């Protein structure tokens, strides 16, 4: 198939992806492609991406440090701002140390490539984020993908595996479903089978558990029982980047060996300074998480009253299962015509035949925003019914 044929095929199958042009800050009421919309597709769960104090910290830090970090962390790009943020993240998560990466994708590639090689084995939930999958592939380790949230399926693989180094990897909150990993069971299995356990808490950090400490805190799991914790900063924290938290030894090992840490320019120090401010807000303003919970309840109870095919989720990620890709795209277009931005998620991001609308809620939404979404979904219910 030529490149052009591939593109035409994607179009014919409703799989073609296009980019929208954002002309405002990331917030519920946005200007996108010249149109005023209410957005339900940002991961800015706490409304911090355009928070005035976070912006001010960013500006002040750019006065002090300039814009570019100029070099990799191991050359001379590791600024005081980065260092302070790492210390704050370690303290907040309860791990001995934390290490900043420029993106979550790079953090996941870095950890797996550094810890594993040919002859080792990765056990991964089938619905894990693509970056965990890519990391596992990059490492050269054998990859076993267990059924989603199915600890029996995982236990079966663990029992059959003869590898000495084994790593279980899971999303804390699954990014396209919104459900939680069964972490207590995974912790027990990892102990029983002498495997490492790594959680990618991109969608739990800042949102779940007391003070927003994430999925572990939600379940009351002690950091000592879960050796590798990773989370991103571009979602609930509203800035950019990611970190891995773990033991002193793990973090030093990653500094020495994780290629996506070593061979890349450090992210701008002002990003780290802004993130430090948002981490303070995350801790100081639990009302943001309470508001988010209220909106999730409002959305779910109204959607269930309408009999919409909601996925089971108690988090800010709420999926409406559509099935085929063209219908999902059509629904998304109908919602856009009503001024509501909701993305259609299609294969290969989700398994074939499970195209869906992925609605993400934010503490910055209002009850009126949810009402408008519910109204528009009600008007387009016929498209959903046909699928069921
Ligand atoms: C968004 C996301 C990532 C990637 O993080 P970036 O900082 O955007 O590169 C990794 N894992 C999960 C589960 C995510 O949702």
């Amino acid at each position: 198939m030529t490149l052009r044929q591939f593109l035409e095929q994607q179009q014919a199958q409703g799989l073609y992806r296009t980019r929208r042009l954002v002309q405002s800050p990331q917030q519920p009421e946005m200007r996108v492609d010249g149109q005023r919309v209410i957005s339900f597709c940002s991961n800015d769960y706490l409304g911090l991406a355009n928070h005035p104090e976070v912006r001010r910290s960013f500006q002040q830090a750019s006065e002090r440090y300039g814009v570019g970090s100029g070099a990799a962390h191991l050359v001379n790009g590791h600024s005081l701002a980065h260092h302070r943020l790492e210390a704050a993240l370690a303290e907040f998560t309860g791990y001995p140390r934390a290490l900043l990466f420029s993106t979550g994708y790079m953090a996941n590639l870095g950890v797996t490539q550094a810890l594993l090689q040919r002859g080792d084995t990765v056990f991964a939930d089938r619905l894990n984020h693509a970056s965990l999958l890519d990391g596992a592939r990059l490492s050269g380790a054998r990859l076993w993908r267990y059924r989603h949230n199915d600890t029996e399926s995982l236990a079966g693989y663990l029992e059959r595996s003869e590898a000495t180094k084994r790593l279980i990897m899971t999303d804390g909150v699954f990014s396209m479903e919104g459900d939680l990993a069964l972490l207590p069971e995974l912790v027990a299995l990892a102990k029983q089978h002498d495997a490492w356990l790594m959680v990618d808490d991109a969608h739990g950090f800042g949102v779940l558990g007391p003070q927003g400490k994430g999925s572990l805190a939600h379940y009351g799991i002690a950091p000592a029982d879960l050796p590798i914790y990773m989370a991103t900063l571009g979602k609930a924290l509203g800035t950019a980047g990611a970190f891995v938290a773990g033991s002193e030894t793990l973090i030093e090992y990653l500094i020495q060996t994780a290629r996506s840490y070593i061979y890349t320019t450090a992210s701008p120090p002002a990003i780290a300074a802004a993130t430090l401010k948002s981490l303070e807000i995350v801790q100081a303003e639990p009302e943001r998480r309470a508001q988010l919970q209220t909106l999730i309840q409002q959305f779910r109870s109204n959607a269930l009253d309408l009999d919409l095919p909601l996925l089971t989720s108690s988090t800010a990620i709420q999926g409406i299962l559509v099935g085929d890709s063209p219908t999902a795209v059509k629904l998304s277009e109908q919602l856009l015509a009503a001024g509501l931005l909701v993305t259609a998620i299609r294969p290969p991001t989700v398994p074939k035949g499970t195209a869906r609308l992925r609605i993400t809620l934010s503490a910055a939404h209002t009850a009126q925003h949810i009402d408008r979404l519910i109204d528009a979904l009600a008007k387009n219910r016929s498209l959903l019914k046909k699928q069921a």
Side-chain angles (χ1 to χ4, degrees):
M1 200 187 316
T2 66
L3 304 187
R4 187 182 295 278
Q5 281 166 342
F6 173 80
L7 294 176
E8 284 165 2
Q9 177 192 293
Q10 294 296 102
Q11 242 153 357
Q13 295 177 353
L15 295 176
Y16 203 78
R17 295 163 181 241
T18 57
R19 302 172 300 173
R20 301 180 195 287
L21 208 54
V22 173
Q23 296 152 310
S24 70
Q26 195 59 245
Q27 56 196 18
E29 298 187 17
M30 298 181 70
R31 201 176 164 78
V32 174
D33 285 339
Q35 185 187 348
R36 289 186 49 187
V37 295
I38 303 170
S39 162
F40 290 98
C41 42
S42 157
N43 301 313
D44 179 26
Y45 300 123
L46 299 178
L48 296 178
N50 188 34
H51 191 288
E53 282 182 50
V54 177
R55 289 205 312 256
R56 198 167 316 118
S57 293
F58 184 84
Q59 285 159 354
Q60 284 169 354
S62 76
E63 295 299 327
R64 175 166 179 188
Y65 295 101
V67 177
S69 70
H73 283 276
L74 289 174
V75 181
N76 74 341
H78 186 65
S79 73
L80 182 59
H82 294 121
H83 210 65
R84 282 191 176 139
L85 177 58
E86 287 183 343
L89 289 167
E91 195 189 332
F92 182 62
T93 54
Y95 282 88
R97 257 181 103 180
L99 183 68
L100 283 176
F101 282 78
S102 297
T103 71
Y105 192 104
M106 291 168 69
N108 286 340
L109 293 193
V111 170
T112 38
Q113 165 267 316
L115 292 182
L116 302 169
Q117 52 190 320
R118 203 173 296 279
D120 302 333
T121 300
V122 172
F123 305 86
D125 188 291
R126 273 192 186 282
L127 296 189
N128 274 353
H129 191 263
S131 55
L132 289 171
L133 184 61
D134 292 357
R137 287 182 175 146
L138 180 68
S139 74
R142 179 152 187 204
L143 174 62
W144 273 340
R145 299 176 74 191
Y146 58 91
R147 282 198 299 276
H148 176 52
N149 258 346
D150 183 339
T151 43
E152 274 180 32
S153 160
L154 169 59
Y157 285 130
L158 282 164
E159 272 151 28
R160 271 188 280 152
S161 162
E162 283 167 7
T164 45
K165 270 195 200 164
R166 312 128 170 262
L167 171 66
I168 303 169
M169 294 195 311
T170 184
D171 284 20
V173 175
F174 288 88
S175 55
M176 297 298 138
E177 315 288 307
D179 57 348
L180 306 187
L182 306 174
L183 291 184
E185 279 96 323
L186 295 182
V187 167
L189 275 176
K191 281 219 170 109
Q192 187 186 336
H193 292 275
D194 196 20
W196 282 316
L197 175 59
M198 170 174 180
V199 172
D200 172 343
D201 209 17
H203 300 278
F205 186 66
V207 186
L208 293 182
Q211 287 188 292
K213 288 188 179 185
S215 298
L216 271 64
H218 168 83
Y219 285 114
I221 295 170
D225 288 328
L226 206 154
I228 311 167
Y229 181 79
M230 174 274 182
T232 66
L233 304 168
K235 286 164 182 153
L237 276 279
T239 59
F243 70 94
V244 174
S247 68
E248 190 73 43
T249 308
L250 174 76
I251 298 305
E252 266 312 311
Y253 185 80
L254 292 177
I255 292 173
Q256 307 304 319
T257 59
R259 296 172 67 83
S260 64
Y261 181 76
I262 299 168
Y263 298 106
T264 196
T265 301
S267 66
I271 297 277
T275 308
L276 196 54
K277 176 55 73 178
S278 35
L279 189 61
E280 279 174 37
I281 299 173
V282 163
Q283 295 172 77
E285 300 184 6
E287 58 272 25
R288 288 176 186 270
R289 282 181 293 280
Q291 163 72 355
L292 182 58
Q293 277 312 316
T294 303
L295 295 170
I296 293 168
Q297 295 313 323
Q298 182 194 346
F299 173 76
R300 282 194 69 83
S301 67
N302 287 313
L304 290 171
D305 284 348
L306 285 173
D307 233 0
L308 299 180
L310 272 190
L311 299 181
T312 307
S313 158
S314 58
T315 66
I317 301 168
Q318 293 290 324
I320 298 182
L321 192 64
V322 179
D324 75 80
S325 297
T327 310
V329 172
K330 171 95 180 147
L331 258 169
S332 168
E333 285 168 359
Q334 296 285 358
L335 294 175
L336 185 60
L340 305 169
L341 195 60
V342 176
T343 26
I345 307 282
R346 294 159 280 170
T349 308
V350 291
K352 274 210 178 90
T354 71
R356 65 196 64 180
L357 294 179
R358 177 177 183 265
I359 291 157
T360 48
L361 302 175
S362 162
H365 282 121
T366 62
Q368 290 73 32
H369 291 148
I370 308 293
D371 286 341
R372 280 195 50 188
L373 175 61
I374 290 288
D375 281 352
L377 288 168
K379 289 203 179 93
N380 289 286
R381 207 159 34 150
S382 57
L383 281 171
L384 284 164
K385 280 279 146 81
K386 246 179 266 165
Q387 296 301 310

